[in-house]
Amino acid sequence: MDELIELLKEFDGIGQKAAKKMFFQIMTSKLKKQKLIEVIEKISNDYEICERCFFYKYKKLCSFCDSQIRDKNLICVVSDILNAEKILNSKFKGIIHVLNGEININKNVHPEKLKIEELFARINSEVEILLALNLTFEGEVTANYIATKLKDKAKNITRIARGIPLGGVLDYMDNETLEDAIKNRKIIKKG
Amino acid sequence: MDELIELLKEFDGIGQKAAKKMFFQIMTSKLKKQKLIEVIEKISNDYEICERCFFYKYKKLCSFCDSQIRDKNLICVVSDILNAEKILNSKFKGIIHVLNGEININKNVHPEKLKIEELFARINSEVEILLALNLTFEGEVTANYIATKLKDKAKNITRIARGIPLGGVLDYMDNETLEDAIKNRKIIKKG
């Protein structure tokens, strides 16, 4: 049993408790088990990775690459598919490029392990790159790496703005964020 | 996609994030998908619920009921299989009865929904019942219900002791626990 639970735990996002609960649910309900198998087969049959942007295709179509209305000269770079989903559901009207991670030398994630070469292959002087990587140390390192390498090759390279999130309390903000939020202040009424 | 994620979330223990992560892992790796299907089939084939104690059987054998060395006159009552597992791995040498829940009137869990009748059917005047239900409101209600119903029918009815857990800090203990821990104090050196 422990061995089977370990196998379930190999899935990122499934911890010890969740794996045990899944185990018992699969064991106790033939119906739940059958439905789970069907879901897995459906995912595996209907979805695949887009070989261009590394987002996913549903029934052979990528919501970004195969869109007729999206601006193909504005590429938003994100670290994973979950982030790409967030962008898809936002007002952003360009296309996407999923890196499949962020540079992390400590964890042995070097640029070659990411889809960075594939990003560079998509760039030309007409293209604006929006670096929407996480505002963490690894995200910043990755954004800087790409920005340095792409210098002069893209039309524009931009980074999502740092600021105070909706509902954010100044007390709890770090100074760098606060200073950026002040520097990037927006005029709401011109005197 | 949202529909498939909702189906994964029907599994207790799988939240929104975990379901999405599973989805993408199944989508991106045929190998992981195949291994998951195998694990599910193995669980479904090798494990089943024991119709006597409601713990599980592995290849038709229950670790409690089919044990030759366990004391069949000492039945530990727990609320779920995870708790039964903890008892199995402890020094306890009796057998088990899994209720599949605790009485919770607010959530419409009445005694009839639990394996309480099945417990009563196992009792005779030789049997000691150890109520190892959670020390929560629902656990106490369930323990009291069983104790009242079984009065005079079992040889002994006991409840796991309330006290301060290993590593527990007195500051953070509620008064009831502390008072019980004092009342149940153990002699470590007799004067």
Side-chain angles (χ1 to χ4, degrees), chain B residues 131-156:
Chain B
L131 297 166
L133 297 153
N134 294 319
L135 284 154
T136 54
F137 179 74
E138 287 79 19
E140 295 285 346
V141 166
T142 312
N144 288 336
Y145 177 85
I146 293 172
T148 310
K149 286 269 182 177
L150 280 186
K151 179 174 54 131
D152 307 331
K153 282 182 188 127
K155 188 175 147 210
N156 272 315

mmCIF file with all atom_site columns, all heavy atoms in Angstrom, chain B residues 131-156:
data_model
loop_
_atom_site.group_PDB
_atom_site.id
_atom_site.type_symbol
_atom_site.label_atom_id
_atom_site.label_alt_id
_atom_site.label_comp_id
_atom_site.label_asym_id
_atom_site.label_entity_id
_atom_site.label_seq_id
_atom_site.pdbx_PDB_ins_code
_atom_site.Cartn_x
_atom_site.Cartn_y
_atom_site.Cartn_z
_atom_site.occupancy
_atom_site.B_iso_or_equiv
_atom_site.pdbx_formal_charge
_atom_site.auth_seq_id
_atom_site.auth_comp_id
_atom_site.auth_asym_id
_atom_site.auth_atom_id
_atom_site.pdbx_PDB_model_num
ATOM 1   N N   . LEU B 1 131 ? -13.089 3.210  22.758 1.00 0.00 ? 131 LEU B N   1
ATOM 2   C CA  . LEU B 1 131 ? -13.561 4.254  21.847 1.00 0.00 ? 131 LEU B CA  1
ATOM 3   C C   . LEU B 1 131 ? -12.414 5.210  21.525 1.00 0.00 ? 131 LEU B C   1
ATOM 4   O O   . LEU B 1 131 ? -12.056 6.070  22.318 1.00 0.00 ? 131 LEU B O   1
ATOM 5   C CB  . LEU B 1 131 ? -14.750 4.989  22.475 1.00 0.00 ? 131 LEU B CB  1
ATOM 6   C CG  . LEU B 1 131 ? -15.983 4.103  22.719 1.00 0.00 ? 131 LEU B CG  1
ATOM 7   C CD1 . LEU B 1 131 ? -16.982 4.784  23.645 1.00 0.00 ? 131 LEU B CD1 1
ATOM 8   C CD2 . LEU B 1 131 ? -16.644 3.717  21.402 1.00 0.00 ? 131 LEU B CD2 1
ATOM 9   N N   . ALA B 1 132 ? -11.808 5.034  20.356 1.00 0.00 ? 132 ALA B N   1
ATOM 10  C CA  . ALA B 1 132 ? -10.677 5.875  19.948 1.00 0.00 ? 132 ALA B CA  1
ATOM 11  C C   . ALA B 1 132 ? -11.136 6.884  18.896 1.00 0.00 ? 132 ALA B C   1
ATOM 12  O O   . ALA B 1 132 ? -10.475 7.099  17.881 1.00 0.00 ? 132 ALA B O   1
ATOM 13  C CB  . ALA B 1 132 ? -9.536  5.006  19.429 1.00 0.00 ? 132 ALA B CB  1
ATOM 14  N N   . LEU B 1 133 ? -12.276 7.500  19.157 1.00 0.00 ? 133 LEU B N   1
ATOM 15  C CA  . LEU B 1 133 ? -12.778 8.536  18.247 1.00 0.00 ? 133 LEU B CA  1
ATOM 16  C C   . LEU B 1 133 ? -12.035 9.837  18.528 1.00 0.00 ? 133 LEU B C   1
ATOM 17  O O   . LEU B 1 133 ? -11.423 9.998  19.589 1.00 0.00 ? 133 LEU B O   1
ATOM 18  C CB  . LEU B 1 133 ? -14.286 8.685  18.450 1.00 0.00 ? 133 LEU B CB  1
ATOM 19  C CG  . LEU B 1 133 ? -15.026 7.394  18.081 1.00 0.00 ? 133 LEU B CG  1
ATOM 20  C CD1 . LEU B 1 133 ? -16.313 7.257  18.836 1.00 0.00 ? 133 LEU B CD1 1
ATOM 21  C CD2 . LEU B 1 133 ? -15.240 7.341  16.577 1.00 0.00 ? 133 LEU B CD2 1
ATOM 22  N N   . ASN B 1 134 ? -12.089 10.740 17.590 1.00 0.00 ? 134 ASN B N   1
ATOM 23  C CA  . ASN B 1 134 ? -11.396 12.022 17.775 1.00 0.00 ? 134 ASN B CA  1
ATOM 24  C C   . ASN B 1 134 ? -11.905 12.743 19.017 1.00 0.00 ? 134 ASN B C   1
ATOM 25  O O   . ASN B 1 134 ? -13.066 12.607 19.395 1.00 0.00 ? 134 ASN B O   1
ATOM 26  C CB  . ASN B 1 134 ? -11.617 12.922 16.554 1.00 0.00 ? 134 ASN B CB  1
ATOM 27  C CG  . ASN B 1 134 ? -10.957 12.357 15.314 1.00 0.00 ? 134 ASN B CG  1
ATOM 28  O OD1 . ASN B 1 134 ? -9.836  11.848 15.386 1.00 0.00 ? 134 ASN B OD1 1
ATOM 29  N ND2 . ASN B 1 134 ? -11.642 12.439 14.192 1.00 0.00 ? 134 ASN B ND2 1
ATOM 30  N N   . LEU B 1 135 ? -11.036 13.534 19.637 1.00 0.00 ? 135 LEU B N   1
ATOM 31  C CA  . LEU B 1 135 ? -11.441 14.265 20.833 1.00 0.00 ? 135 LEU B CA  1
ATOM 32  C C   . LEU B 1 135 ? -12.043 15.617 20.457 1.00 0.00 ? 135 LEU B C   1
ATOM 33  O O   . LEU B 1 135 ? -11.759 16.649 21.057 1.00 0.00 ? 135 LEU B O   1
ATOM 34  C CB  . LEU B 1 135 ? -10.252 14.394 21.786 1.00 0.00 ? 135 LEU B CB  1
ATOM 35  C CG  . LEU B 1 135 ? -9.984  13.060 22.512 1.00 0.00 ? 135 LEU B CG  1
ATOM 36  C CD1 . LEU B 1 135 ? -8.559  12.917 22.945 1.00 0.00 ? 135 LEU B CD1 1
ATOM 37  C CD2 . LEU B 1 135 ? -10.913 12.916 23.699 1.00 0.00 ? 135 LEU B CD2 1
ATOM 38  N N   . THR B 1 136 ? -12.898 15.565 19.436 1.00 0.00 ? 136 THR B N   1
ATOM 39  C CA  . THR B 1 136 ? -13.602 16.757 18.973 1.00 0.00 ? 136 THR B CA  1
ATOM 40  C C   . THR B 1 136 ? -15.046 16.661 19.459 1.00 0.00 ? 136 THR B C   1
ATOM 41  O O   . THR B 1 136 ? -15.449 15.639 20.011 1.00 0.00 ? 136 THR B O   1
ATOM 42  C CB  . THR B 1 136 ? -13.618 16.772 17.437 1.00 0.00 ? 136 THR B CB  1
ATOM 43  O OG1 . THR B 1 136 ? -14.181 15.524 17.000 1.00 0.00 ? 136 THR B OG1 1
ATOM 44  C CG2 . THR B 1 136 ? -12.215 16.898 16.881 1.00 0.00 ? 136 THR B CG2 1
ATOM 45  N N   . PHE B 1 137 ? -15.832 17.696 19.187 1.00 0.00 ? 137 PHE B N   1
ATOM 46  C CA  . PHE B 1 137 ? -17.241 17.677 19.573 1.00 0.00 ? 137 PHE B CA  1
ATOM 47  C C   . PHE B 1 137 ? -17.946 16.465 18.971 1.00 0.00 ? 137 PHE B C   1
ATOM 48  O O   . PHE B 1 137 ? -18.608 15.697 19.674 1.00 0.00 ? 137 PHE B O   1
ATOM 49  C CB  . PHE B 1 137 ? -17.929 18.987 19.152 1.00 0.00 ? 137 PHE B CB  1
ATOM 50  C CG  . PHE B 1 137 ? -19.393 19.013 19.494 1.00 0.00 ? 137 PHE B CG  1
ATOM 51  C CD1 . PHE B 1 137 ? -19.804 19.174 20.809 1.00 0.00 ? 137 PHE B CD1 1
ATOM 52  C CD2 . PHE B 1 137 ? -20.360 18.869 18.504 1.00 0.00 ? 137 PHE B CD2 1
ATOM 53  C CE1 . PHE B 1 137 ? -21.156 19.187 21.135 1.00 0.00 ? 137 PHE B CE1 1
ATOM 54  C CE2 . PHE B 1 137 ? -21.707 18.887 18.822 1.00 0.00 ? 137 PHE B CE2 1
ATOM 55  C CZ  . PHE B 1 137 ? -22.107 19.040 20.139 1.00 0.00 ? 137 PHE B CZ  1
ATOM 56  N N   . GLU B 1 138 ? -17.765 16.256 17.649 1.00 0.00 ? 138 GLU B N   1
ATOM 57  C CA  . GLU B 1 138 ? -18.430 15.150 16.965 1.00 0.00 ? 138 GLU B CA  1
ATOM 58  C C   . GLU B 1 138 ? -17.961 13.796 17.505 1.00 0.00 ? 138 GLU B C   1
ATOM 59  O O   . GLU B 1 138 ? -18.759 12.868 17.660 1.00 0.00 ? 138 GLU B O   1
ATOM 60  C CB  . GLU B 1 138 ? -18.192 15.206 15.446 1.00 0.00 ? 138 GLU B CB  1
ATOM 61  C CG  . GLU B 1 138 ? -18.957 16.297 14.731 1.00 0.00 ? 138 GLU B CG  1
ATOM 62  C CD  . GLU B 1 138 ? -18.315 17.661 14.879 1.00 0.00 ? 138 GLU B CD  1
ATOM 63  O OE1 . GLU B 1 138 ? -17.101 17.713 15.213 1.00 0.00 ? 138 GLU B OE1 1
ATOM 64  O OE2 . GLU B 1 138 ? -19.015 18.672 14.682 1.00 0.00 ? 138 GLU B OE2 1
ATOM 65  N N   . GLY B 1 139 ? -16.647 13.712 17.767 1.00 0.00 ? 139 GLY B N   1
ATOM 66  C CA  . GLY B 1 139 ? -16.098 12.469 18.307 1.00 0.00 ? 139 GLY B CA  1
ATOM 67  C C   . GLY B 1 139 ? -16.694 12.157 19.665 1.00 0.00 ? 139 GLY B C   1
ATOM 68  O O   . GLY B 1 139 ? -17.074 11.006 19.949 1.00 0.00 ? 139 GLY B O   1
ATOM 69  N N   . GLU B 1 140 ? -16.832 13.180 20.500 1.00 0.00 ? 140 GLU B N   1
ATOM 70  C CA  . GLU B 1 140 ? -17.392 12.989 21.845 1.00 0.00 ? 140 GLU B CA  1
ATOM 71  C C   . GLU B 1 140 ? -18.858 12.571 21.765 1.00 0.00 ? 140 GLU B C   1
ATOM 72  O O   . GLU B 1 140 ? -19.297 11.671 22.475 1.00 0.00 ? 140 GLU B O   1
ATOM 73  C CB  . GLU B 1 140 ? -17.279 14.299 22.659 1.00 0.00 ? 140 GLU B CB  1
ATOM 74  C CG  . GLU B 1 140 ? -15.854 14.752 22.958 1.00 0.00 ? 140 GLU B CG  1
ATOM 75  C CD  . GLU B 1 140 ? -15.170 13.926 24.046 1.00 0.00 ? 140 GLU B CD  1
ATOM 76  O OE1 . GLU B 1 140 ? -15.861 13.181 24.759 1.00 0.00 ? 140 GLU B OE1 1
ATOM 77  O OE2 . GLU B 1 140 ? -13.935 14.027 24.162 1.00 0.00 ? 140 GLU B OE2 1
ATOM 78  N N   . VAL B 1 141 ? -19.603 13.226 20.872 1.00 0.00 ? 141 VAL B N   1
ATOM 79  C CA  . VAL B 1 141 ? -21.022 12.887 20.707 1.00 0.00 ? 141 VAL B CA  1
ATOM 80  C C   . VAL B 1 141 ? -21.155 11.424 20.291 1.00 0.00 ? 141 VAL B C   1
ATOM 81  O O   . VAL B 1 141 ? -21.957 10.664 20.848 1.00 0.00 ? 141 VAL B O   1
ATOM 82  C CB  . VAL B 1 141 ? -21.691 13.806 19.649 1.00 0.00 ? 141 VAL B CB  1
ATOM 83  C CG1 . VAL B 1 141 ? -23.050 13.261 19.217 1.00 0.00 ? 141 VAL B CG1 1
ATOM 84  C CG2 . VAL B 1 141 ? -21.824 15.232 20.188 1.00 0.00 ? 141 VAL B CG2 1
ATOM 85  N N   . THR B 1 142 ? -20.341 11.015 19.323 1.00 0.00 ? 142 THR B N   1
ATOM 86  C CA  . THR B 1 142 ? -20.405 9.640  18.819 1.00 0.00 ? 142 THR B CA  1
ATOM 87  C C   . THR B 1 142 ? -20.019 8.648  19.916 1.00 0.00 ? 142 THR B C   1
ATOM 88  O O   . THR B 1 142 ? -20.689 7.623  20.110 1.00 0.00 ? 142 THR B O   1
ATOM 89  C CB  . THR B 1 142 ? -19.472 9.489  17.600 1.00 0.00 ? 142 THR B CB  1
ATOM 90  O OG1 . THR B 1 142 ? -19.717 10.568 16.707 1.00 0.00 ? 142 THR B OG1 1
ATOM 91  C CG2 . THR B 1 142 ? -19.694 8.178  16.883 1.00 0.00 ? 142 THR B CG2 1
ATOM 92  N N   . ALA B 1 143 ? -18.960 8.962  20.649 1.00 0.00 ? 143 ALA B N   1
ATOM 93  C CA  . ALA B 1 143 ? -18.508 8.081  21.736 1.00 0.00 ? 143 ALA B CA  1
ATOM 94  C C   . ALA B 1 143 ? -19.606 7.947  22.793 1.00 0.00 ? 143 ALA B C   1
ATOM 95  O O   . ALA B 1 143 ? -19.913 6.841  23.248 1.00 0.00 ? 143 ALA B O   1
ATOM 96  C CB  . ALA B 1 143 ? -17.222 8.632  22.346 1.00 0.00 ? 143 ALA B CB  1
ATOM 97  N N   . ASN B 1 144 ? -20.218 9.062  23.158 1.00 0.00 ? 144 ASN B N   1
ATOM 98  C CA  . ASN B 1 144 ? -21.280 9.026  24.167 1.00 0.00 ? 144 ASN B CA  1
ATOM 99  C C   . ASN B 1 144 ? -22.475 8.221  23.683 1.00 0.00 ? 144 ASN B C   1
ATOM 100 O O   . ASN B 1 144 ? -23.055 7.452  24.435 1.00 0.00 ? 144 ASN B O   1
ATOM 101 C CB  . ASN B 1 144 ? -21.733 10.448 24.532 1.00 0.00 ? 144 ASN B CB  1
ATOM 102 C CG  . ASN B 1 144 ? -20.679 11.160 25.358 1.00 0.00 ? 144 ASN B CG  1
ATOM 103 O OD1 . ASN B 1 144 ? -19.868 10.508 26.017 1.00 0.00 ? 144 ASN B OD1 1
ATOM 104 N ND2 . ASN B 1 144 ? -20.676 12.481 25.307 1.00 0.00 ? 144 ASN B ND2 1
ATOM 105 N N   . TYR B 1 145 ? -22.824 8.411  22.419 1.00 0.00 ? 145 TYR B N   1
ATOM 106 C CA  . TYR B 1 145 ? -23.955 7.671  21.850 1.00 0.00 ? 145 TYR B CA  1
ATOM 107 C C   . TYR B 1 145 ? -23.714 6.169  21.954 1.00 0.00 ? 145 TYR B C   1
ATOM 108 O O   . TYR B 1 145 ? -24.564 5.411  22.432 1.00 0.00 ? 145 TYR B O   1
ATOM 109 C CB  . TYR B 1 145 ? -24.159 8.094  20.386 1.00 0.00 ? 145 TYR B CB  1
ATOM 110 C CG  . TYR B 1 145 ? -25.265 7.340  19.680 1.00 0.00 ? 145 TYR B CG  1
ATOM 111 C CD1 . TYR B 1 145 ? -26.586 7.762  19.779 1.00 0.00 ? 145 TYR B CD1 1
ATOM 112 C CD2 . TYR B 1 145 ? -24.983 6.197  18.934 1.00 0.00 ? 145 TYR B CD2 1
ATOM 113 C CE1 . TYR B 1 145 ? -27.609 7.060  19.139 1.00 0.00 ? 145 TYR B CE1 1
ATOM 114 C CE2 . TYR B 1 145 ? -25.996 5.494  18.285 1.00 0.00 ? 145 TYR B CE2 1
ATOM 115 C CZ  . TYR B 1 145 ? -27.300 5.930  18.399 1.00 0.00 ? 145 TYR B CZ  1
ATOM 116 O OH  . TYR B 1 145 ? -28.297 5.234  17.768 1.00 0.00 ? 145 TYR B OH  1
ATOM 117 N N   . ILE B 1 146 ? -22.528 5.740  21.528 1.00 0.00 ? 146 ILE B N   1
ATOM 118 C CA  . ILE B 1 146 ? -22.207 4.304  21.555 1.00 0.00 ? 146 ILE B CA  1
ATOM 119 C C   . ILE B 1 146 ? -22.156 3.792  22.992 1.00 0.00 ? 146 ILE B C   1
ATOM 120 O O   . ILE B 1 146 ? -22.709 2.731  23.306 1.00 0.00 ? 146 ILE B O   1
ATOM 121 C CB  . ILE B 1 146 ? -20.862 4.048  20.819 1.00 0.00 ? 146 ILE B CB  1
ATOM 122 C CG1 . ILE B 1 146 ? -21.035 4.357  19.331 1.00 0.00 ? 146 ILE B CG1 1
ATOM 123 C CG2 . ILE B 1 146 ? -20.384 2.613  21.019 1.00 0.00 ? 146 ILE B CG2 1
ATOM 124 C CD1 . ILE B 1 146 ? -19.743 4.325  18.536 1.00 0.00 ? 146 ILE B CD1 1
ATOM 125 N N   . ALA B 1 147 ? -21.527 4.568  23.869 1.00 0.00 ? 147 ALA B N   1
ATOM 126 C CA  . ALA B 1 147 ? -21.387 4.145  25.271 1.00 0.00 ? 147 ALA B CA  1
ATOM 127 C C   . ALA B 1 147 ? -22.766 3.954  25.911 1.00 0.00 ? 147 ALA B C   1
ATOM 128 O O   . ALA B 1 147 ? -23.007 2.974  26.616 1.00 0.00 ? 147 ALA B O   1
ATOM 129 C CB  . ALA B 1 147 ? -20.558 5.163  26.041 1.00 0.00 ? 147 ALA B CB  1
ATOM 130 N N   . THR B 1 148 ? -23.672 4.890  25.630 1.00 0.00 ? 148 THR B N   1
ATOM 131 C CA  . THR B 1 148 ? -25.015 4.805  26.219 1.00 0.00 ? 148 THR B CA  1
ATOM 132 C C   . THR B 1 148 ? -25.758 3.581  25.709 1.00 0.00 ? 148 THR B C   1
ATOM 133 O O   . THR B 1 148 ? -26.361 2.829  26.470 1.00 0.00 ? 148 THR B O   1
ATOM 134 C CB  . THR B 1 148 ? -25.818 6.081  25.844 1.00 0.00 ? 148 THR B CB  1
ATOM 135 O OG1 . THR B 1 148 ? -25.019 7.218  26.153 1.00 0.00 ? 148 THR B OG1 1
ATOM 136 C CG2 . THR B 1 148 ? -27.126 6.140  26.605 1.00 0.00 ? 148 THR B CG2 1
ATOM 137 N N   . LYS B 1 149 ? -25.681 3.369  24.395 1.00 0.00 ? 149 LYS B N   1
ATOM 138 C CA  . LYS B 1 149 ? -26.397 2.250  23.774 1.00 0.00 ? 149 LYS B CA  1
ATOM 139 C C   . LYS B 1 149 ? -25.830 0.896  24.222 1.00 0.00 ? 149 LYS B C   1
ATOM 140 O O   . LYS B 1 149 ? -26.556 -0.088 24.303 1.00 0.00 ? 149 LYS B O   1
ATOM 141 C CB  . LYS B 1 149 ? -26.288 2.353  22.247 1.00 0.00 ? 149 LYS B CB  1
ATOM 142 C CG  . LYS B 1 149 ? -27.156 3.439  21.656 1.00 0.00 ? 149 LYS B CG  1
ATOM 143 C CD  . LYS B 1 149 ? -28.526 2.876  21.278 1.00 0.00 ? 149 LYS B CD  1
ATOM 144 C CE  . LYS B 1 149 ? -29.380 3.949  20.633 1.00 0.00 ? 149 LYS B CE  1
ATOM 145 N NZ  . LYS B 1 149 ? -30.668 3.414  20.187 1.00 0.00 ? 149 LYS B NZ  1
ATOM 146 N N   . LEU B 1 150 ? -24.529 0.849  24.467 1.00 0.00 ? 150 LEU B N   1
ATOM 147 C CA  . LEU B 1 150 ? -23.874 -0.435 24.740 1.00 0.00 ? 150 LEU B CA  1
ATOM 148 C C   . LEU B 1 150 ? -23.819 -0.794 26.224 1.00 0.00 ? 150 LEU B C   1
ATOM 149 O O   . LEU B 1 150 ? -23.467 -1.917 26.584 1.00 0.00 ? 150 LEU B O   1
ATOM 150 C CB  . LEU B 1 150 ? -22.442 -0.426 24.203 1.00 0.00 ? 150 LEU B CB  1
ATOM 151 C CG  . LEU B 1 150 ? -22.270 -0.681 22.721 1.00 0.00 ? 150 LEU B CG  1
ATOM 152 C CD1 . LEU B 1 150 ? -20.795 -0.779 22.398 1.00 0.00 ? 150 LEU B CD1 1
ATOM 153 C CD2 . LEU B 1 150 ? -22.985 -1.964 22.297 1.00 0.00 ? 150 LEU B CD2 1
ATOM 154 N N   . LYS B 1 151 ? -24.157 0.179  27.055 1.00 0.00 ? 151 LYS B N   1
ATOM 155 C CA  . LYS B 1 151 ? -24.139 -0.009 28.504 1.00 0.00 ? 151 LYS B CA  1
ATOM 156 C C   . LYS B 1 151 ? -24.673 -1.406 28.896 1.00 0.00 ? 151 LYS B C   1
ATOM 157 O O   . LYS B 1 151 ? -25.722 -1.813 28.428 1.00 0.00 ? 151 LYS B O   1
ATOM 158 C CB  . LYS B 1 151 ? -25.004 1.108  29.110 1.00 0.00 ? 151 LYS B CB  1
ATOM 159 C CG  . LYS B 1 151 ? -25.168 1.147  30.588 1.00 0.00 ? 151 LYS B CG  1
ATOM 160 C CD  . LYS B 1 151 ? -25.935 2.424  31.007 1.00 0.00 ? 151 LYS B CD  1
ATOM 161 C CE  . LYS B 1 151 ? -27.254 2.563  30.280 1.00 0.00 ? 151 LYS B CE  1
ATOM 162 N NZ  . LYS B 1 151 ? -28.440 2.833  30.987 1.00 0.00 ? 151 LYS B NZ  1
ATOM 163 N N   . ASP B 1 152 ? -23.920 -2.118 29.706 1.00 0.00 ? 152 ASP B N   1
ATOM 164 C CA  . ASP B 1 152 ? -24.278 -3.473 30.179 1.00 0.00 ? 152 ASP B CA  1
ATOM 165 C C   . ASP B 1 152 ? -24.088 -4.570 29.128 1.00 0.00 ? 152 ASP B C   1
ATOM 166 O O   . ASP B 1 152 ? -24.149 -5.750 29.446 1.00 0.00 ? 152 ASP B O   1
ATOM 167 C CB  . ASP B 1 152 ? -25.751 -3.573 30.672 1.00 0.00 ? 152 ASP B CB  1
ATOM 168 C CG  . ASP B 1 152 ? -26.063 -2.513 31.718 1.00 0.00 ? 152 ASP B CG  1
ATOM 169 O OD1 . ASP B 1 152 ? -25.126 -2.126 32.433 1.00 0.00 ? 152 ASP B OD1 1
ATOM 170 O OD2 . ASP B 1 152 ? -27.216 -2.075 31.783 1.00 0.00 ? 152 ASP B OD2 1
ATOM 171 N N   . LYS B 1 153 ? -23.894 -4.187 27.881 1.00 0.00 ? 153 LYS B N   1
ATOM 172 C CA  . LYS B 1 153 ? -23.774 -5.239 26.858 1.00 0.00 ? 153 LYS B CA  1
ATOM 173 C C   . LYS B 1 153 ? -22.339 -5.701 26.672 1.00 0.00 ? 153 LYS B C   1
ATOM 174 O O   . LYS B 1 153 ? -22.092 -6.873 26.388 1.00 0.00 ? 153 LYS B O   1
ATOM 175 C CB  . LYS B 1 153 ? -24.364 -4.760 25.531 1.00 0.00 ? 153 LYS B CB  1
ATOM 176 C CG  . LYS B 1 153 ? -25.886 -4.841 25.583 1.00 0.00 ? 153 LYS B CG  1
ATOM 177 C CD  . LYS B 1 153 ? -26.552 -4.442 24.295 1.00 0.00 ? 153 LYS B CD  1
ATOM 178 C CE  . LYS B 1 153 ? -28.055 -4.356 24.484 1.00 0.00 ? 153 LYS B CE  1
ATOM 179 N NZ  . LYS B 1 153 ? -28.627 -3.090 24.049 1.00 0.00 ? 153 LYS B NZ  1
ATOM 180 N N   . ALA B 1 154 ? -21.392 -4.770 26.821 1.00 0.00 ? 154 ALA B N   1
ATOM 181 C CA  . ALA B 1 154 ? -19.982 -5.136 26.671 1.00 0.00 ? 154 ALA B CA  1
ATOM 182 C C   . ALA B 1 154 ? -19.369 -5.346 28.054 1.00 0.00 ? 154 ALA B C   1
ATOM 183 O O   . ALA B 1 154 ? -19.925 -4.940 29.059 1.00 0.00 ? 154 ALA B O   1
ATOM 184 C CB  . ALA B 1 154 ? -19.248 -4.036 25.933 1.00 0.00 ? 154 ALA B CB  1
ATOM 185 N N   . LYS B 1 155 ? -18.210 -5.982 28.058 1.00 0.00 ? 155 LYS B N   1
ATOM 186 C CA  . LYS B 1 155 ? -17.515 -6.225 29.326 1.00 0.00 ? 155 LYS B CA  1
ATOM 187 C C   . LYS B 1 155 ? -17.001 -4.896 29.876 1.00 0.00 ? 155 LYS B C   1
ATOM 188 O O   . LYS B 1 155 ? -17.187 -4.582 31.054 1.00 0.00 ? 155 LYS B O   1
ATOM 189 C CB  . LYS B 1 155 ? -16.345 -7.189 29.067 1.00 0.00 ? 155 LYS B CB  1
ATOM 190 C CG  . LYS B 1 155 ? -15.647 -7.671 30.326 1.00 0.00 ? 155 LYS B CG  1
ATOM 191 C CD  . LYS B 1 155 ? -14.596 -8.719 29.940 1.00 0.00 ? 155 LYS B CD  1
ATOM 192 C CE  . LYS B 1 155 ? -13.405 -8.651 30.861 1.00 0.00 ? 155 LYS B CE  1
ATOM 193 N NZ  . LYS B 1 155 ? -12.166 -9.052 30.192 1.00 0.00 ? 155 LYS B NZ  1
ATOM 194 N N   . ASN B 1 156 ? -16.370 -4.137 29.029 1.00 0.00 ? 156 ASN B N   1
ATOM 195 C CA  . ASN B 1 156 ? -15.833 -2.828 29.401 1.00 0.00 ? 156 ASN B CA  1
ATOM 196 C C   . ASN B 1 156 ? -16.011 -1.867 28.242 1.00 0.00 ? 156 ASN B C   1
ATOM 197 O O   . ASN B 1 156 ? -15.916 -2.281 27.088 1.00 0.00 ? 156 ASN B O   1
ATOM 198 C CB  . ASN B 1 156 ? -14.320 -2.920 29.660 1.00 0.00 ? 156 ASN B CB  1
ATOM 199 C CG  . ASN B 1 156 ? -14.005 -3.271 31.084 1.00 0.00 ? 156 ASN B CG  1
ATOM 200 O OD1 . ASN B 1 156 ? -14.586 -2.715 32.012 1.00 0.00 ? 156 ASN B OD1 1
ATOM 201 N ND2 . ASN B 1 156 ? -13.082 -4.215 31.260 1.00 0.00 ? 156 ASN B ND2 1
#
